[in-house]
Amino acid sequence: MARTKRSRRSYGAGEWGRNRVRVFPDPKTGLFQIEWRENGRRLSRSLGHRDWPRAKRQADEFAAGFIDAPNGKAEAKPEPLTLEMLFEIYGEEVTPAKTKRVRHRDRIRTRMFLDFLGWDRRPETLSQRDWDRFIRERRTGRIGPSGKPVSNRTIELDLKFLLAVLNWATKSRDEEGRLLLDSNPLRGLKTPKEKNPTRVVLSEEEYQAMLGVSRRVDWRFHVAFVLAHETGHRIGAIRNLRWGDIDFEGREVRWRAEHEKTGYEHVTPMTDEAVAVLEEARETNPGNGEALVLPAPRDPSASISCGRAGAWWRKAERLAGLEPKARRGWHSLRRKFASDLMDLPLKVLCELGGWKEAQTVLRCYQQADAVQLRKALDSRPRVSA
């Protein structure tokens, strides 16, 4: 049976290795192009119009023409899977379900790996040598979109994406029931780790300084800043809160799964400070149901962008007179939340902050300060000599 796939960027019809064709808009002219393979070569031509329904019909007709043609193409052997084909399938079937920011990262990493490993490279031929070579070249900045040296953490995230694509291929089948990839050739290889990762915790003094100038930045920043401090949640979840998620009577807030990195929907109680700042927001931006608590300044139907939230943070730092510090951003408030509540049982803390794994809190978020260390030593039982 012919396989048809739709996506936001293109429309594909037919079966891989048999009669697969694709239509997509030319980025320069906007005219739709049709693309297919013939004798191992990738061919394309312009359809000469911008009519999307018509372009899709032409793709279906073109794919059907391959099967009906008397030259035996329908009986041809499946085309060998290349990295280009694998990343294209993954980009059509998996990437669209991700957030806008992650989709953008997927596209950048896809192009980087294809340029580095080879567009026509067979996935099963990847090896430790490719893995080690990528780490060396990426670390020095000889490959990658920025052209600059990157940290082990960045390399780790790049390689995890590559592993995710290969692992997905080992569980996915084509129209004939064949696995796209029999096994992951890079399975078990170790990604580089940061020996001393920088995880900044916003201090109480820094928080108070930024809080004092937060309203001068924007009322939305003030509300988001206080909520991040009082709830310990990620800025992405806070930016997407809707009035229907806020229960003023029960003093609770619902965190939707689609805006949580862990995909974990949960409800947490609100402090007096959180309730007060939300009531203040309701006076400025009254709404209910699906209306956003913190809408974008120029588009009430959209939430504040991640970039704007970051720009507001940097402006608040400047107004507060804080010296610039690398990686002191919204996540430093999440670490402050975890560290301030270090005495709570881990299960309780995880529920309050939306963490699924207690080990994540211990490894990445909680940091004891000098006062806590001294207090712990002073509380140690001692026996008089």
Side-chain angles (χ1 to χ4, degrees), residues 208-221:
Q208 292 298 332
M210 292 181 67
L211 181 63
V213 301
S214 58
R215 286 188 176 87
R216 292 166 56 189
V217 176
D218 191 278
W219 70 266
R220 301 168 187 82
F221 173 78

Side-chain angles (χ1 to χ4, degrees), residues 201-202 204 229 335-343 372:
V201 179
L202 194 71
E204 183 62 28
H229 181 266
R335 297 189 191 98
K336 183 179 188 299
F337 182 86
S339 299
D340 287 348
L341 301 180
M342 192 177 293
D343 292 337
Q372 290 170 317

Side-chain angles (χ1 to χ4, degrees), residues 238-299:
I238 294 170
R239 289 189 296 108
N240 287 284
L241 281 175
R242 299 181 182 272
W243 286 117
D245 300 326
I246 310 300
D247 180 2
F248 284 99
E249 184 176 347
R251 295 169 63 89
E252 293 179 333
V253 56
R254 174 172 64 118
W255 304 96
R256 303 190 186 199
E258 61 264 33
H259 303 309
E260 285 288 319
K261 182 179 178 180
T262 57
Y264 170 49
E265 182 163 319
H266 56 289
V267 176
T268 60
M270 293 190 290
T271 63
D272 292 340
E273 290 81 1
V275 172
V277 80
L278 284 169
E279 288 177 342
E280 181 180 329
R282 187 164 56 173
E283 292 178 3
T284 306
N285 174 42
N288 52 49
E290 291 300 298
L292 287 159
V293 175
L294 303 172
R298 297 182 180 179
D299 184 3

Side-chain angles (χ1 to χ4, degrees), residues 67-85:
I67 296 177
D68 297 336
N71 57 6
K73 286 181 180 177
E75 301 301 324
K77 292 183 178 180
E79 183 180 355
L81 182 72
T82 65
L83 282 177
E84 179 185 8
M85 294 167 59

Side-chain angles (χ1 to χ4, degrees), residues 84-255:
E84 179 185 8
M85 294 167 59
L86 175 56
F87 276 110
E88 182 179 353
I89 300 171
Y90 184 90
E92 289 183 348
E93 300 186 2
V94 182
T95 297
K98 302 180 182 181
T99 65
K100 181 178 179 181
R101 193 176 183 184
V102 178
R103 291 198 302 268
H104 177 67
R105 289 175 178 171
D106 277 10
R107 289 193 290 271
I108 291 176
R109 287 178 174 136
T110 292
R111 183 59 184 263
M112 177 179 63
F113 278 118
L114 288 176
D115 287 343
F116 179 74
L117 297 170
W119 294 63
D120 293 326
R121 180 79 178 271
R122 300 279 294 275
E124 63 270 21
T125 67
L126 297 178
S127 68
Q128 174 91 54
R129 294 179 63 193
D130 298 301
W131 183 272
D132 294 339
R133 188 165 59 93
F134 175 82
I135 293 174
R136 289 195 304 270
E137 298 294 300
R138 187 76 167 107
R139 183 176 286 144
T140 60
R142 284 193 284 269
I143 59 173
S146 68
K148 299 178 181 179
V150 298
S151 66
N152 281 344
R153 176 57 176 166
T154 299
I155 299 173
E156 178 186 10
L157 294 175
D158 290 339
L159 291 172
K160 282 186 174 181
F161 169 70
L162 177 60
L163 290 173
V165 174
L166 296 174
N167 285 333
W168 176 83
T170 64
K171 302 173 184 177
S172 303
R173 298 180 183 274
D174 62 15
E175 291 75 12
E176 301 299 325
R178 297 180 295 260
L179 286 171
L180 295 178
L181 197 61
D182 291 331
S183 63
N184 182 349
L186 302 180
R187 182 181 179 182
L189 298 185
K190 294 183 178 180
T191 58
K193 304 288 185 181
E194 290 287 346
K195 293 183 179 179
N196 298 294
T198 302
R199 297 188 175 113
V200 177
V201 179
L202 194 71
S203 69
E204 183 62 28
E205 293 74 17
E206 291 171 331
Y207 173 71
Q208 292 298 332
M210 292 181 67
L211 181 63
V213 301
S214 58
R215 286 188 176 87
R216 292 166 56 189
V217 176
D218 191 278
W219 70 266
R220 301 168 187 82
F221 173 78
H222 172 71
V223 174
F225 189 68
V226 173
L227 287 179
H229 181 266
E230 295 301 316
T231 68
H233 279 69
R234 296 178 178 86
I235 184 59
I238 294 170
R239 289 189 296 108
N240 287 284
L241 281 175
R242 299 181 182 272
W243 286 117
D245 300 326
I246 310 300
D247 180 2
F248 284 99
E249 184 176 347
R251 295 169 63 89
E252 293 179 333
V253 56
R254 174 172 64 118
W255 304 96

